[in-house]
Amino acid sequence: MQIRKATINDVKNIIEVVQSSYKVSYRGYLPDEYLDNLAITDDILEKWCNYLQKYECYVTHKQGEIVAFLMLDDNKAIKIFEICILYVKPEYQKKGVGSLMVDYVCKLKQKYKICELWTMKNGPSTAFYEKKGFTATSEEKAWKFDIPIIKMIKRL
Protein backbone atom coordinates (compact mmCIF):
# COMPACT_ATOMS: atom_id res chain seq x y z
CA MET A 1 0.00 0.00 0.00
CA GLN A 2 1.14 3.49 -0.81
CA ILE A 3 0.14 6.93 0.41
CA ARG A 4 0.09 9.96 -1.88
CA LYS A 5 -1.47 13.39 -2.06
CA ALA A 6 -5.04 13.31 -3.26
CA THR A 7 -5.92 14.96 -6.56
CA ILE A 8 -9.17 16.29 -7.94
CA ASN A 9 -9.31 13.15 -10.13
CA ASP A 10 -9.70 11.08 -6.94
CA VAL A 11 -12.83 12.84 -5.75
CA LYS A 12 -15.41 10.16 -6.67
CA ASN A 13 -13.28 7.39 -5.18
CA ILE A 14 -12.75 9.44 -2.01
CA ILE A 15 -16.50 9.96 -1.61
CA GLU A 16 -17.03 6.21 -2.07
CA VAL A 17 -14.49 5.50 0.69
CA VAL A 18 -16.13 8.01 3.03
CA GLN A 19 -19.69 6.88 2.36
CA SER A 20 -18.94 3.16 2.58
CA SER A 21 -17.14 3.75 5.87
CA TYR A 22 -20.03 5.84 7.19
CA LYS A 23 -22.52 3.10 6.36
CA VAL A 24 -20.59 0.52 8.39
CA SER A 25 -18.83 2.51 11.13
CA TYR A 26 -21.74 4.75 12.08
CA ARG A 27 -24.52 2.16 11.90
CA GLY A 28 -26.27 2.32 15.25
CA TYR A 29 -25.01 5.85 15.88
CA LEU A 30 -26.52 7.78 12.97
CA PRO A 31 -30.08 7.19 11.71
CA ASP A 32 -30.40 4.24 9.30
CA GLU A 33 -32.43 6.39 6.89
CA TYR A 34 -29.56 8.88 6.64
CA LEU A 35 -26.95 6.17 6.09
CA ASP A 36 -29.09 4.23 3.60
CA ASN A 37 -29.61 7.35 1.47
CA LEU A 38 -26.00 8.46 1.13
CA ALA A 39 -25.24 9.03 -2.54
CA ILE A 40 -22.82 10.83 -4.81
CA THR A 41 -24.73 13.89 -6.02
CA ASP A 42 -23.54 17.02 -7.81
CA ASP A 43 -23.58 19.05 -4.58
CA ILE A 44 -21.57 16.35 -2.76
CA LEU A 45 -19.04 16.29 -5.62
CA GLU A 46 -18.71 20.07 -5.45
CA LYS A 47 -18.27 20.01 -1.66
CA TRP A 48 -15.50 17.40 -1.86
CA CYS A 49 -13.76 19.16 -4.75
CA ASN A 50 -13.66 22.25 -2.54
CA TYR A 51 -12.21 20.22 0.35
CA LEU A 52 -9.43 18.93 -1.89
CA GLN A 53 -8.51 22.48 -2.88
CA LYS A 54 -8.70 23.92 0.64
CA TYR A 55 -7.10 21.18 2.76
CA GLU A 56 -4.06 18.92 2.66
CA CYS A 57 -5.46 15.54 1.58
CA TYR A 58 -3.95 12.07 1.22
CA VAL A 59 -5.13 8.73 -0.08
CA THR A 60 -3.85 5.24 0.52
CA HIS A 61 -4.09 3.03 -2.50
CA LYS A 62 -3.51 -0.62 -3.18
CA GLN A 63 -2.89 -1.54 -6.80
CA GLY A 64 -4.60 1.63 -7.95
CA GLU A 65 -7.67 1.24 -5.71
CA ILE A 66 -8.15 4.01 -3.16
CA VAL A 67 -8.80 2.32 0.18
CA ALA A 68 -8.45 5.22 2.64
CA PHE A 69 -8.64 8.99 2.80
CA LEU A 70 -7.20 11.50 5.26
CA MET A 71 -7.66 15.28 5.37
CA LEU A 72 -5.49 17.70 7.38
CA ASP A 73 -5.65 21.30 8.41
CA ASP A 74 -2.87 23.11 10.22
CA ASN A 75 -1.99 26.22 12.10
CA LYS A 76 1.65 26.83 11.32
CA ALA A 77 1.83 29.79 13.71
CA ILE A 78 1.21 27.63 16.78
CA LYS A 79 2.57 24.35 15.34
CA ILE A 80 -0.67 22.37 15.64
CA PHE A 81 -2.26 20.29 12.92
CA GLU A 82 -5.61 18.57 12.86
CA ILE A 83 -6.70 15.32 11.31
CA CYS A 84 -10.08 16.52 10.06
CA ILE A 85 -11.11 13.29 8.37
CA LEU A 86 -9.83 9.73 8.32
CA TYR A 87 -11.91 7.04 6.67
CA VAL A 88 -10.95 3.55 5.57
CA LYS A 89 -13.05 1.30 3.33
CA PRO A 90 -14.79 -1.27 5.54
CA GLU A 91 -12.99 -4.25 3.98
CA TYR A 92 -9.63 -2.64 4.88
CA GLN A 93 -10.52 -1.61 8.42
CA LYS A 94 -8.61 -3.28 11.27
CA LYS A 95 -5.80 -4.17 8.85
CA GLY A 96 -3.38 -1.38 9.72
CA VAL A 97 -4.38 1.11 7.02
CA GLY A 98 -5.59 3.78 9.43
CA SER A 99 -2.46 3.34 11.55
CA LEU A 100 -0.32 3.66 8.45
CA MET A 101 -1.96 6.98 7.57
CA VAL A 102 -1.78 8.43 11.09
CA ASP A 103 1.88 7.44 11.40
CA TYR A 104 2.60 8.92 7.97
CA VAL A 105 1.12 12.35 8.71
CA CYS A 106 2.63 12.50 12.21
CA LYS A 107 6.05 11.86 10.68
CA LEU A 108 5.34 14.32 7.87
CA LYS A 109 4.39 16.99 10.42
CA GLN A 110 7.04 16.09 12.99
CA LYS A 111 8.07 19.76 13.35
CA TYR A 112 4.64 20.46 14.82
CA LYS A 113 3.96 20.20 18.56
CA ILE A 114 0.51 18.65 18.58
CA CYS A 115 -1.83 16.65 16.39
CA GLU A 116 -5.48 17.02 17.27
CA LEU A 117 -8.73 15.56 16.05
CA TRP A 118 -12.39 15.26 16.90
CA THR A 119 -14.06 11.88 17.19
CA MET A 120 -17.37 10.54 18.38
CA LYS A 121 -17.51 10.32 22.16
CA ASN A 122 -17.44 6.60 23.03
CA GLY A 123 -17.60 5.90 19.30
CA PRO A 124 -15.91 3.27 17.16
CA SER A 125 -12.67 5.25 16.68
CA THR A 126 -11.87 6.29 20.25
CA ALA A 127 -9.95 3.13 21.14
CA PHE A 128 -8.06 3.26 17.83
CA TYR A 129 -6.83 6.79 18.51
CA GLU A 130 -5.90 5.91 22.09
CA LYS A 131 -3.72 3.09 20.75
CA LYS A 132 -2.07 5.64 18.44
CA GLY A 133 -1.11 7.78 21.46
CA PHE A 134 -3.97 10.28 21.50
CA THR A 135 -5.63 11.30 24.75
CA ALA A 136 -9.10 12.72 25.20
CA THR A 137 -9.44 16.31 26.34
CA SER A 138 -12.40 17.79 28.17
CA GLU A 139 -13.49 19.62 25.00
CA GLU A 140 -16.77 18.38 23.59
CA LYS A 141 -19.26 19.63 21.01
CA ALA A 142 -22.24 18.43 19.00
CA TRP A 143 -21.79 16.81 15.59
CA LYS A 144 -24.38 15.49 13.12
CA PHE A 145 -27.75 14.75 14.72
CA ASP A 146 -26.40 16.31 17.94
CA ILE A 147 -24.08 13.37 18.59
CA PRO A 148 -21.35 14.43 21.02
CA ILE A 149 -17.78 14.45 19.76
CA ILE A 150 -14.62 14.93 21.80
CA LYS A 151 -11.26 16.46 21.03
CA MET A 152 -8.25 14.17 21.30
CA ILE A 153 -4.61 15.27 21.11
CA LYS A 154 -1.23 13.68 20.59
CA ARG A 155 1.95 15.47 21.55
CA LEU A 156 4.65 14.95 18.93
Side-chain angles (χ1 to χ4, degrees):
M1 284 194 224
Q2 296 179 318
I3 299 174
R4 63 169 171 78
K5 277 205 166 195
T7 70
I8 205 76
N9 295 329
D10 297 323
V11 72
K12 276 193 173 180
N13 291 321
I14 289 167
I15 296 168
E16 288 171 4
V17 168
V18 172
Q19 289 185 353
S20 66
S21 183
Y22 256 62
K23 289 176 182 181
V24 172
S25 300
Y26 295 140
R27 187 75 57 187
Y29 296 97
L30 298 179
D32 287 345
E33 182 179 357
Y34 171 79
L35 295 171
D36 293 340
N37 289 306
L38 289 173
I40 299 175
T41 59
D42 288 342
D43 60 322
I44 296 292
L45 280 167
E46 182 179 344
K47 177 176 96 169
W48 283 92
C49 285
N50 290 336
Y51 284 163
L52 292 179
Q53 293 171 15
K54 182 178 179 182
Y55 298 99
E56 192 173 342
C57 300
Y58 297 90
V59 293
T60 298
H61 61 96
K62 182 178 180 180
Q63 299 173 336
E65 176 190 8
I66 294 176
V67 301
F69 172 71
L70 184 141
M71 185 169 77
L72 299 176
D73 196 11
D74 65 22
N75 186 328
K76 292 177 178 82
I78 59 173
K79 297 286 187 189
I80 293 176
F81 74 96
E82 178 181 356
I83 297 175
C84 305
I85 294 174
L86 171 58
Y87 288 107
V88 178
K89 274 187 166 181
E91 59 269 29
Y92 289 92
Q93 291 177 4
K94 299 185 189 316
K95 295 184 178 179
V97 178
S99 288
L100 181 72
M101 293 195 88
V102 169
D103 294 345
Y104 178 85
V105 297
C106 286
K107 185 175 181 182
L108 185 71
K109 301 285 186 180
Q110 63 188 339
K111 292 183 180 177
Y112 285 68
K113 296 177 185 174
I114 294 174
C115 175
E116 62 185 24
L117 57 87
W118 290 87
T119 191
M120 194 183 311
K121 185 177 183 179
N122 303 315
S125 300
T126 307
F128 164 76
Y129 288 119
E130 287 172 345
K131 287 179 188 172
K132 297 306 301 170
F134 288 82
T135 54
T137 69
S138 60
E139 290 185 61
E140 188 174 311
K141 63 184 178 181
W143 183 56
K144 291 180 193 294
F145 303 99
D146 291 325
I147 292 171
I149 58 175
I150 57 168
K151 182 188 258 187
M152 297 184 81
I153 63 166
K154 178 178 181 171
R155 297 194 186 286
L156 303 175

